[in-house]
Structure formats: structure tokens, C-alpha cells
Amino acid sequence: MSSTVNQNTQMAPTLNSDMGEGLGLHSFGNDEQLMSVIDVANVACGFHAGDPDVMNRTVALAAEHGVAVGAHPGLPDLVGFGRRRMAVTADEVESIILYQTGALTGFLSKHGLALNHIKPHGALYGILAGDEELMAAAASVARQFSVPFFGLAGTAHETVCHELGVDFVGELYVDLNYGPDGSLLIERHPQLTLPRAAAERVSAAVEGGPVHAVDGTELHIRFSSVCVHSDAPNSFGVASAVRRAIATTTRP
């Protein structure tokens, strides 16, 4: 991944965020504020967070703000919020993604929206990035619904999608650190991100410059969407800074 370069396109990257990650009476994240600045919402589908009422409210909020909605399926791990790795087979990967995506499409239909994409959550996202067999199972679900797959360029996310004819959308992360191999370092708890630092990362990456890994390695990341997580206390400030950076930075 460290050898990749930014996408050469005149289109500005979209801004996406993980949404609907509450449960029952408990809500997490700044969904309502964020809907006013993002383009795309990745909605939790019940396995790592979210329940029918939360999904319904989140999709309704997205429809109100004109935000596209994709499925954000995770591992069946409410206690660990889907951030703990599990041993899963290809059949299990296909089933858990199909089940969760299918649940979300019912609420999309209710609110007059179409499924925009599939983007796995947390540990599942990381597992699929490094395992082509499991990724093929995930991509088969995206192909079944005829939607793109959001993931990391230069990993199995991208290579398998290309092999199977599934549209791929590469992401840049501003509130997670990267390892020297370009992998994301998933934290069990959200970390505070300075809005200025997030904006500087986006501006540099959009202009074709490097993103620095935790050890200083320069990574050149291909992307057409930027992700800001919703569950950090200042996520709205981060997202707003990123939105301004996108609006004022020109691709080479």
C-alpha cells in the first residue's frame, strides 16, 4: 500500500461517516450534527451496534438531509463493538454481511432511498483487507446488490473487487493512525483528533502528498472518499474542518 499514489481525478472526494451506532435508549456519536456536513452515511445494521429503531431513525435522518446510505455490517460482537477479531469462514462472512445489509434495505425502501454501498465495520474491515478468500465472500454480497464496496486501496479490498467486477471506493482516514504497511490501527476506544490535523492530512493527500504512518513512513493513499468517525466527542468539528479542506484543495 505504501507504493500507491493518489487517484488522478478532478472529482472532489466525498465525506463519509459511520452512523446509527446506538442501541435501545443509548446513543453514541453525533449523527444529527454530522448529517449536515457529510455526503454518505455508513449505517450500523445490528451486529456490532444499532437495532431496528436506531436504523429507522438514522435512515430517516439521512433522507431528510439528502445523504446517501450504505450498509455498515460488523462482526456479531455487541460487547466488543465489533472491534475484536473473530475466526470466521467465508460462508459466515457472506451470511453476516448479507443478513445485515438485507435488514437495512427494508428501512431504505421505507424512506425512499436506495442502497449506496457496503462498508464493513471495525475488525471485519481489517480482516477482509488481508484475506482474499474472505474478501471474495464479502464482495459477492456487494455484487448481489449491485453496489460499490468501500475499503482500503492496495489491499484485498481493492484487488478482489477488481477481480469480481465490483466497483471499489478507496478511503482515506483522518482520525485513525496508519501502520507502516498502510494498515489501519483500530482502537478499542475513539481517540481525540485535532480538526486542524485532520484538515492538513486531507489537504496533503488530495494534492498527492504523503500521509505519515506512526513510525514516520510516508504513505501515498489512493482514495475518493474521506471517513470521519462519529463517536469521538469532537467529531463534528473534525468533519467540518475536513469539509472545508475538501472545498479549498485542488487535486493535481
Side-chain angles (χ1 to χ4, degrees), residues 155-201:
T155 71
H157 290 167
E158 181 179 32
T159 56
V160 172
C161 282
H162 287 173
E163 289 170 2
L164 297 183
V166 173
D167 288 340
F168 174 78
V169 176
E171 293 186 286
L172 171 71
Y173 284 80
V174 298
D175 49 16
L176 290 176
N177 289 320
Y178 287 87
D181 61 349
S183 61
L184 285 175
L185 304 182
I186 306 297
E187 303 283 352
R188 291 291 297 276
H189 302 284
Q191 303 297 308
L192 186 67
T193 299
L194 297 177
R196 180 177 178 179
E200 289 174 350
R201 175 178 285 189

Side-chain angles (χ1 to χ4, degrees), residues 57-167:
R57 292 196 301 269
T58 308
V59 172
L61 192 62
E64 178 184 341
H65 285 84
V67 171
V69 174
H72 194 45
L75 294 171
D77 180 22
L78 286 173
V79 174
F81 199 67
R83 289 175 175 162
R84 301 183 295 188
R85 284 184 170 245
M86 299 173 64
V88 288
T89 67
D91 286 344
E92 288 170 333
V93 167
E94 180 180 5
S95 294
I96 64 176
I97 295 178
L98 179 59
Y99 182 95
Q100 292 176 82
T101 304
L104 181 65
T105 59
F107 295 104
L108 292 172
S109 178
K110 173 184 176 181
H111 294 286
L113 299 179
L115 181 69
N116 186 71
H117 66 280
I118 293 174
K119 173 187 168 178
H121 163 82
L124 180 58
Y125 188 95
I127 290 169
L128 298 178
D131 192 309
E132 292 191 353
E133 180 184 3
L134 298 183
M135 182 55 213
S140 71
V141 182
R143 185 169 59 182
Q144 178 177 336
F145 284 96
S146 299
V147 295
F149 185 95
F150 278 39
L152 292 178
T155 71
H157 290 167
E158 181 179 32
T159 56
V160 172
C161 282
H162 287 173
E163 289 170 2
L164 297 183
V166 173
D167 288 340

Side-chain angles (χ1 to χ4, degrees), residues 6 13 15 172-176 192-211 223 226-228 234-250:
N6 203 5
L15 179 56
L172 171 71
Y173 284 80
V174 298
D175 49 16
L176 290 176
L192 186 67
T193 299
L194 297 177
R196 180 177 178 179
E200 289 174 350
R201 175 178 285 189
V202 169
S203 295
V206 168
E207 292 175 342
V211 169
F223 67 98
V226 179
C227 179
V228 174
N234 67 335
S235 59
F236 178 69
V238 173
S240 298
V242 168
R243 170 57 71 196
R244 290 191 293 271
I246 289 173
T248 58
T249 307
T250 303

